[in-house]
Every structure is written in C-alpha cells, then in structure tokens.
Amino acid sequence: MEEFLKLFKNERFKTIFVLVVFFILIYFFKSIANILLLTLIFTLLVNRLCDLLYKLVRLPLKYSVVVVYFAFILILYLVSNFAFVEIKTQLNSLVDMIIKFYDNPHSNNWL
C-alpha cells in the first residue's frame, strides 16, 4: 500500500493518471464528449486570457473574468447580428427564386 501511495506523490504519475482517467471518462460519455472538450478548451482560453489581463492591467482576477466574459458575449452578439441579417437576405432570395421557378416551369432549360 505504501508503494501505491508513493506513486501518487510523484507529479508525473499524477498527471498521467489524471489524463488516463479523463480519457476513460470521455470514452464512457461519448455522447457529450464534444461539449466537454469544447468547454475545457474555452475554459483554458479564458483562464489564460484572464491571467494575461491581470499581468498587463493589474485588474483583479474576478473583474478580469467579468470583462472577458462580457467581451465574449458582446462579440457573439455582434457577429450573430451581422450573420443573421445576411442569412435572412439569402433565404429571402432563395424563396423568391423557388416561387419564380414554380410560377414559370417551362422557362427552365434543365427540365
């Protein structure tokens, strides 16, 4: 038992053990693996960004997290507004083209 406990004092073994357990859990929860991985990647990126913001501006960590999440939500809002407008105009033109096609079926050279 002491040898087993000695293994867990080794940092390298702990890291490998945690990774193996993590991959086993991902294997058993395949259906949500994408969400888990995306969440972990996003969390890692936000953590690094908050640390960078703390080093550059000396903003306390809890405020830097709020700033980073607010900036992320703002960027998502702006991108979605511009993207949805473009998608809406393209869908409207697609519907108009389909209506014109069915109104004038003989003008189609492909049929």
Side-chain angles (χ1 to χ4, degrees), residues 7-23:
L7 277 175
F8 275 100
K9 290 182 181 177
N10 186 355
E11 286 295 320
R12 192 163 191 84
F13 178 76
K14 276 198 275 188
T15 304
I16 292 172
F17 181 75
V18 167
L19 284 174
V20 168
V21 169
F22 179 70
F23 285 123

Side-chain angles (χ1 to χ4, degrees), residues 2-110:
E2 282 187 32
E3 289 88 20
F4 187 69
L5 291 176
K6 236 191 271 187
L7 277 175
F8 275 100
K9 290 182 181 177
N10 186 355
E11 286 295 320
R12 192 163 191 84
F13 178 76
K14 276 198 275 188
T15 304
I16 292 172
F17 181 75
V18 167
L19 284 174
V20 168
V21 169
F22 179 70
F23 285 123
I24 289 171
L25 286 174
I26 286 178
Y27 177 75
F28 285 123
F29 297 110
K30 287 187 252 193
S31 61
I32 60 169
N34 289 336
I35 295 171
L36 283 174
L37 288 174
L38 286 174
T39 303
L40 287 172
I41 291 169
F42 181 70
T43 304
L44 176 72
L45 292 174
V46 167
N47 189 16
R48 299 286 170 120
L49 191 59
C50 289
D51 289 343
L52 181 70
L53 197 61
Y54 176 73
K55 287 178 185 177
L56 292 177
V57 185
R58 294 284 183 208
L59 192 63
L61 192 59
K62 59 183 171 182
Y63 297 130
S64 64
V65 170
V66 171
V67 168
V68 167
Y69 276 110
F70 180 72
F72 180 73
I73 290 171
L74 183 67
I75 290 170
L76 278 178
Y77 173 74
L78 292 174
V79 167
S80 65
N81 266 350
F82 293 123
F84 287 144
V85 169
E86 184 65 30
I87 290 171
K88 180 183 171 193
T89 57
Q90 288 182 5
L91 283 175
N92 285 339
S93 66
L94 178 66
V95 168
D96 290 340
M97 288 171 54
I98 291 172
I99 289 172
K100 287 179 185 176
F101 172 76
Y102 281 112
D103 284 344
N104 301 320
H106 298 296
S107 66
N108 187 1
N109 295 332
W110 293 96

